[in-house]
Amino acid sequence: MIAILKYNSGNIMSVRVALKRLGHDAVITDNPDVIRRAEKVILPGVGEAGSAMKHLRERELDSVIISLKQPVLGICLGLQLMCSFSEEKNTECLGIFDTAVRKLPAGARVPHMGWNDFVSVSDDPLLQGINPEDDVYYVHSYYAGVNEYTTAVCDYGLQFSAAMRRDNFFATQFHPEKSAETGARILENFLAL
């Protein structure tokens, strides 16, 4: 079973539809027992870090997420919530990745919205078959800088983490569910873990 976390964020149905296109059903849930039993967990997100973390804490899902041993994929806001801190509403986040999330700097077009490729991609199971020139779709105003967990880098006037990994926790700043064939490949890689 694949669990998509319901936590007061947008884009959940897009992820479910993308999985369905790949032949997989998913349950949308905020039930801790269902989440713990799932084979794979996805933390999607379009929204704002402060209210999203508040929602997770009120339902004690923050501690559930941190304790998971199965593969977990954070998407966009999901990646940012997996970091230790976000400048968005000065939010303490989950701390899976020991790095801070910053606002895109003045001078950059904010939000970063549209197709962009990678500067580099590491040899990570989530990114098998993905090349630096492959385009993926972004919509974000905040970013995690390049750090020890970075598995793919994007350049948007500054380099930031397009993808990160720590143990069983994977995350993408871009939206694989909106990234055509490249995104479908990444989702398939995740489902095959």
Side-chain angles (χ1 to χ4, degrees), residues 138-170:
Y138 294 88
V139 181
H140 64 112
S141 300
Y142 291 81
Y143 71 96
V146 177
N147 60 75
E148 66 183 294
Y149 310 106
T150 301
T151 56
V153 175
C154 180
D155 192 335
Y156 188 64
L158 59 81
Q159 291 191 344
F160 65 86
S161 293
M164 298 196 296
R165 177 185 181 194
R166 179 179 175 197
D167 303 324
N168 59 308
F169 293 95
F170 299 81

Side-chain angles (χ1 to χ4, degrees), residues 115-118 121 127 129-136 138 182:
W115 296 89
N116 207 334
D117 56 12
F118 303 108
V121 178
L127 303 173
I130 306 303
N131 300 305
E133 63 274 3
D134 290 342
D135 286 335
V136 289
Y138 294 88
T182 300

Side-chain angles (χ1 to χ4, degrees), residues 85-98:
F85 174 82
S86 175
E87 287 184 346
E88 189 173 30
K89 300 248 176 124
N90 293 317
T91 305
E92 293 295 326
C93 297
L94 296 169
I96 293 163
F97 302 116
D98 186 19

Side-chain angles (χ1 to χ4, degrees), residues 23-179:
H24 296 272
D25 286 322
V27 61
I28 297 170
T29 184
D30 61 0
N31 182 311
D33 292 330
V34 173
I35 294 165
R36 285 187 192 99
R37 284 195 319 266
E39 294 171 36
K40 307 280 189 314
V41 176
I42 300 177
L43 182 65
V46 171
E48 179 266 314
S51 60
M53 279 306 303
K54 181 176 187 269
H55 190 87
L56 290 174
R57 285 190 182 102
E58 286 173 352
R59 286 153 183 78
E60 299 180 357
L61 293 175
D62 54 337
S63 59
V64 170
I65 294 166
I66 293 166
S67 72
L68 295 175
K69 302 299 180 207
Q70 65 270 57
V72 178
L73 175 62
I75 297 173
C76 194
L77 178 60
L79 172 145
Q80 295 172 13
L81 297 180
M82 288 179 167
C83 294
S84 55
F85 174 82
S86 175
E87 287 184 346
E88 189 173 30
K89 300 248 176 124
N90 293 317
T91 305
E92 293 295 326
C93 297
L94 296 169
I96 293 163
F97 302 116
D98 186 19
T99 192
V101 172
R102 308 277 181 220
K103 185 165 180 54
L104 286 169
R109 180 186 285 160
V110 178
H112 172 206
M113 182 165 54
W115 296 89
N116 207 334
D117 56 12
F118 303 108
V119 174
S120 64
V121 178
S122 76
D123 184 25
D124 185 82
L126 186 68
L127 303 173
Q128 287 292 305
I130 306 303
N131 300 305
E133 63 274 3
D134 290 342
D135 286 335
V136 289
Y137 191 78
Y138 294 88
V139 181
H140 64 112
S141 300
Y142 291 81
Y143 71 96
V146 177
N147 60 75
E148 66 183 294
Y149 310 106
T150 301
T151 56
V153 175
C154 180
D155 192 335
Y156 188 64
L158 59 81
Q159 291 191 344
F160 65 86
S161 293
M164 298 196 296
R165 177 185 181 194
R166 179 179 175 197
D167 303 324
N168 59 308
F169 293 95
F170 299 81
T172 63
Q173 183 59 68
F174 57 89
H175 289 270
E177 77 280 7
K178 295 183 178 293
S179 295

